[in-house]
């Protein structure tokens, strides 16, 4: 006989009161918006970033709005620093990481130093964050890990090869971690944005033709704002997603859903 389904208070489905969430890359861009959204739902947010100034600025924004946050300097390329962060915040309920870089060059023009720079930040650091926090979350009864992939994990263009490879790799790392840590209550998912107005896309935004072409490719006919990614993060960090793991949540304005090259007359 099945046990009765417990009553769910849907009014609190997205609330994070009494929980700590670590947001890596929260000093600017999508990470900053996600940190503010999580704090607005009651979370104690650890604002982690390579830039202590950026982390402090985000923590101050949260405090101004009545939220609770602490700034934490973290270089995700430093294995010892990642291990220390996981040790200190291993009892958190969720980890979010957004840090990434890109070198837009065709493959023939790439230096191996550039290759290493992109792979180390986008993939190697993600691997370290997932497994260091994943193990501690598992030991503490569960948690949610949320990474940031990209539409480039699915579709590419010239000059995006290495970046796309790292994002596709992150998707597969998340699926593997979901399988390995799932029995211990750890959920691992990624958010896949389309084109977002952040410092990482500055080169495109500086070219009006390029900028407009990207806007017209999406079903909504525009770029995303960083704050439009925050809802997906809150969803994945909260009890609204307790049966979601190993998934990619696309927040791309329909970019990967449509062809986009031509609108037929009928």
């Amino acid at each position: 006989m099945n046990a009765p389904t417990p009553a769910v208070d849907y009014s609190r489905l997205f609330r994070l009161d009494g929980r700590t969430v670590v947001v890596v890359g929260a000093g600017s861009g999508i990470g900053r918006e996600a940190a503010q959204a999580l704090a607005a739902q009651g979370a104690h947010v650890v604002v982690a970033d390579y830039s202590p100034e950026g982390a402090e600025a985000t923590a101050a924004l949260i405090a101004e709005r009545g939220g609770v946050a602490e700034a934490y300097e973290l270089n995700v390329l430093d294995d010892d620093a990642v291990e220390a962060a996981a040790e200190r915040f291993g009892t958190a309920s969720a980890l979010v990481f957004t840090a990434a870089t890109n070198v837009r060059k065709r493959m023939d023009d790439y230096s191996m130093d550039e290759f290493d720079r992109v792979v180390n930040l986008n993939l190697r650091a993600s691997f370290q964050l997932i497994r260091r926090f994943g193990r501690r979350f598992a030991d503490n009864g569960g948690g949610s890990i949320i990474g940031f992939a990209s539409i480039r994990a699915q579709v590419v263009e010239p000059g995006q090869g290495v970046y796309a490879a790292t994002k596709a790799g992150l998707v597969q790392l998340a699926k593997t971690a979901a399988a390995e840590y799932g029995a211990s209550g750890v959920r691992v998912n990624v958010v896949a944005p389309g084109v977002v107005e952040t410092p990482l896309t500055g080169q495109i935004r500086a070219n009006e033709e390029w900028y407009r072409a990207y806007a017209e490719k999406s079903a909504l006919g525009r770029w995303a704002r960083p704050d439009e990614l925050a809802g997906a993060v809150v969803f994945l960090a909260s009890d609204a997603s307790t049966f979601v793991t190993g998934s990619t949540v696309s927040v791309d304005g329909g970019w990967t859903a449509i062809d986009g090259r031509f609108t037929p007359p009928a």
Side-chain angles (χ1 to χ4, degrees):
M1 183 176 179
N2 293 331
T5 303
V8 177
D9 182 356
Y10 289 113
S11 69
R12 301 192 60 78
L13 199 58
F14 294 91
R15 293 296 303 177
L16 296 165
D17 302 280
R19 306 184 193 183
T20 296
V21 180
V22 180
V23 184
V24 179
S28 63
I30 295 169
R32 172 171 285 180
E33 299 302 327
Q36 292 180 86
L38 292 161
Q41 293 300 323
H44 172 117
V45 179
V46 178
V47 180
D49 201 274
Y50 179 78
S51 164
E53 295 81 12
E56 291 286 357
T58 300
L61 283 173
I62 291 171
E64 287 172 6
R65 292 166 171 79
V68 180
E70 62 178 292
Y72 185 79
E73 184 178 355
L74 177 61
N75 177 5
V76 294
L77 296 174
D78 182 334
D79 292 342
D80 291 338
V82 171
E83 176 67 22
E87 180 69 27
R88 177 169 175 177
F89 301 113
T91 58
S93 69
L95 165 73
V96 183
F97 58 93
T98 68
T101 190
N102 192 8
V103 176
R104 294 178 179 275
K105 286 185 178 181
R106 292 177 182 258
M107 294 173 67
D108 283 345
D109 298 325
Y110 243 86
S111 72
M112 291 312 296
D113 284 344
E114 291 167 333
F115 178 92
D116 289 342
R117 189 195 327 160
V118 176
V119 170
N120 284 343
L121 181 57
N122 296 6
L123 193 58
R124 187 185 188 281
S126 296
F127 176 68
Q128 288 290 70
L129 286 165
I130 290 171
R131 67 178 184 159
R132 296 309 183 208
F133 276 86
R135 179 70 270 151
R136 283 169 174 78
F137 284 2
D139 290 343
N140 288 309
S144 176
I145 297 175
I146 305 154
F148 268 76
S150 167
I151 55 172
R152 297 303 173 205
Q154 296 186 57
V155 294
V156 299
E157 64 182 5
Q160 291 276 54
V162 181
Y163 178 82
T166 63
K167 293 303 183 179
L170 174 56
V171 169
Q172 295 304 97
L173 280 181
K175 289 179 180 179
T176 304
E180 292 183 358
Y181 298 123
S184 299
V186 181
R187 299 182 295 108
V188 187
N189 298 283
V190 296
V191 178
V195 290
V196 187
E197 295 190 350
T198 69
L200 193 62
T201 56
Q203 180 184 359
I204 303 170
R205 290 182 288 113
N207 183 313
E208 180 59 33
E209 182 181 9
W210 200 356
Y211 179 87
R212 187 171 60 253
Y214 272 28
E216 293 171 353
K217 172 63 176 72
S218 77
L220 298 179
R222 63 178 178 84
W223 286 51
R225 303 184 310 271
D227 64 277
E228 293 181 296
L229 281 300
V233 174
V234 171
F235 166 68
L236 292 172
S238 72
D239 289 344
S241 62
T242 52
F243 206 62
V244 179
T245 195
S247 295
T248 299
V249 178
S250 296
V251 188
D252 64 4
W255 184 293
T256 54
I258 63 174
D259 186 302
R261 291 175 296 180
F262 176 69
T263 301

